[in-house]
Amino acid sequence: MAIGFHQQNEKTLLKLSLYMAGLFVFVAFGFALTTQSGAILFDGVYSLIAFFMALLTLKVANLVQLPDDDRFHFGYTAIEPTLNLFKSLIIIVTCLYAIVGSIQSLFAGGNAAEYDLAMLYGVFATIGCFAISFYMKNRSKSLRSDLVSVDAHTWFIDGVLSASILIGFVIAYCFEQYGFADYAPYVDPLLLVILGLAILPIPCKIMLDSLKEVIHKAPPEAVTSVIEKRLKQTLAAVPYEHIEVRISKSGRDTYLLVHIIVDESFSVATVRELDSIRKKSEAAMREWNPSIIMDILFICDPELAD
């Protein structure tokens, strides 16, 4: 019941992201045509990308909840970091395109815009994007969903973008009002260059984190050491010489391959006894962290754990 509830919450949040992205696309493009602002146009393109990514994310959210089958023996959770990797690459390309285009605009004399209307858009977009980001992040705390987390980051980036655009429009408007109108056209493209460079680290970090999951790189030692310590506590009743643990995170799942090199005093009469040890250990680990999936092997020869 709890898992189903979490899945429903995840889909609700992702649908909210989809609908709001669609709204922002229409609003941004409308203001971009009215004000002739390249910064607002860029914000609209970003929202358009977010809209199509939200459609894809909803599809992936349905897939990752499916059990393993004949085509995907380990389930569909690997699609999750792959999608996040793709989304981050799209955002990076968009930022780089905006930076290059803005530099060309600067050398061409800048870009004049209707800054009074543009400021109205800036206020609406800034409040809206930060509100959605905060809401999604707050609601997703109890969910183990990288999809929602990345979406919240995407809206935060859009909020930073909109807030910076608003500040730039205020500066340009002041230039026009106080005798510096010749400098006003440079504000819009200069702002885009600064924004693009400032935003890039966020999707780059998402890209690197997602790439680590795609290639099954082990989590940081600070994470693995905690998992190993907890695992050994669940196996305290088992006489062993050493426990070798391989850990891989893929989307919302954390997979543990555990080799228990048993002591000579270890003895069981039936395989059911081994199953009982496995079940108790996995139940305790999943109670601590529901994302954990485990396979436990009992061996005598340490070389089999290599």
Side-chain angles (χ1 to χ4, degrees):
M1 181 65 70
I3 294 177
F5 175 73
H6 287 163
Q7 291 173 350
Q8 188 58 45
N9 273 350
E10 179 184 54
K11 290 180 181 179
T12 299
L13 290 171
L14 294 175
K15 285 180 181 178
L16 170 67
S17 179
L18 173 66
Y19 298 147
M20 294 308 297
L23 173 63
F24 272 80
V25 169
F26 284 107
V27 173
F29 283 156
F31 271 93
L33 289 173
T34 304
T35 62
Q36 298 299 306
S37 169
I40 294 180
L41 181 61
F42 173 63
D43 202 21
V45 171
Y46 184 92
S47 296
L48 184 62
I49 292 171
F51 175 77
F52 285 112
M53 288 298 101
L55 281 174
L56 191 57
T57 300
L58 268 174
K59 177 64 176 177
V60 170
N62 290 322
L63 282 175
V64 296
Q65 293 165 11
L66 297 176
D68 51 29
D69 55 30
D70 291 339
R71 292 187 304 163
F72 292 86
H73 292 183
F74 294 93
Y76 291 80
T77 54
I79 299 176
E80 195 169 354
T82 305
L83 173 63
N84 290 334
L85 176 63
F86 179 66
K87 289 170 70 173
S88 62
L89 287 172
I90 292 294
I91 295 173
I92 291 170
V93 171
T94 304
C95 289
L96 292 176
Y97 179 80
I99 292 170
V100 173
S102 298
I103 292 174
Q104 291 175 343
S105 179
L106 282 172
F107 284 109
N111 178 49
E114 297 291 335
Y115 295 112
D116 48 354
L117 284 175
M119 285 190 292
L120 178 63
Y121 169 81
V123 171
F124 166 79
T126 300
I127 295 175
C129 291
F130 279 133
I132 297 168
S133 175
F134 176 78
Y135 179 74
M136 291 188 70
K137 185 176 181 180
N138 188 55
R139 287 288 305 276
S140 67
K141 286 181 178 178
S142 60
L143 305 175
R144 52 187 186 97
S145 172
D146 287 344
L147 295 176
V148 175
S149 177
V150 170
D151 248 24
H153 276 95
T154 302
W155 280 106
F156 180 79
I157 293 173
D158 206 356
V160 172
L161 179 65
S162 299
S164 304
I165 287 173
L166 175 60
I167 294 172
F169 288 157
V170 171
I171 294 173
Y173 181 78
C174 291
F175 280 171
E176 290 186 337
Q177 298 300 312
Y178 296 102
F180 299 96
D182 291 342
Y183 297 100
Y186 292 97
V187 172
D188 193 56
L190 182 61
L191 186 61
L192 266 178
V193 173
I194 296 172
L195 287 176
L197 293 174
I199 287 172
L200 271 176
I202 298 177
C204 285
K205 183 180 184 304
I206 294 173
M207 178 190 70
L208 291 175
D209 289 343
S210 301
L211 181 61
K212 290 176 183 177
E213 293 188 21
V214 170
I215 63 176
H216 297 290
K217 182 178 180 181
E221 187 176 349
V223 175
T224 59
S225 61
V226 173
I227 292 176
E228 289 178 11
K229 181 179 179 182
R230 180 73 61 162
L231 175 65
K232 289 178 179 179
Q233 290 174 354
T234 70
L235 297 169
V238 178
Y240 62 82
E241 293 183 358
H242 178 66
I243 295 179
E244 185 70 32
V245 186
R246 289 178 172 83
I247 304 173
S248 173
K249 183 180 182 300
S250 183
R252 62 197 63 201
D253 291 338
T254 302
Y255 176 67
L256 276 60
L257 176 59
V258 183
H259 287 87
I260 301 177
I261 305 172
V262 296
D263 189 89
E264 290 184 1
S265 62
F266 179 76
S267 177
V268 292
T270 66
V271 175
R272 291 186 184 275
E273 293 180 47
L274 296 178
D275 289 345
S276 177
I277 296 172
R278 293 187 182 101
K279 288 178 180 179
K280 289 180 181 178
S281 177
E282 184 167 10
M285 292 297 289
R286 287 182 63 84
E287 183 179 357
W288 170 64
N289 184 349
S291 70
I292 287 179
I293 298 172
M294 294 171 53
D295 280 322
I296 299 179
L297 303 177
F298 296 88
I299 59 176
C300 292
D301 188 349
E303 291 185 2
L304 294 175
D306 293 338

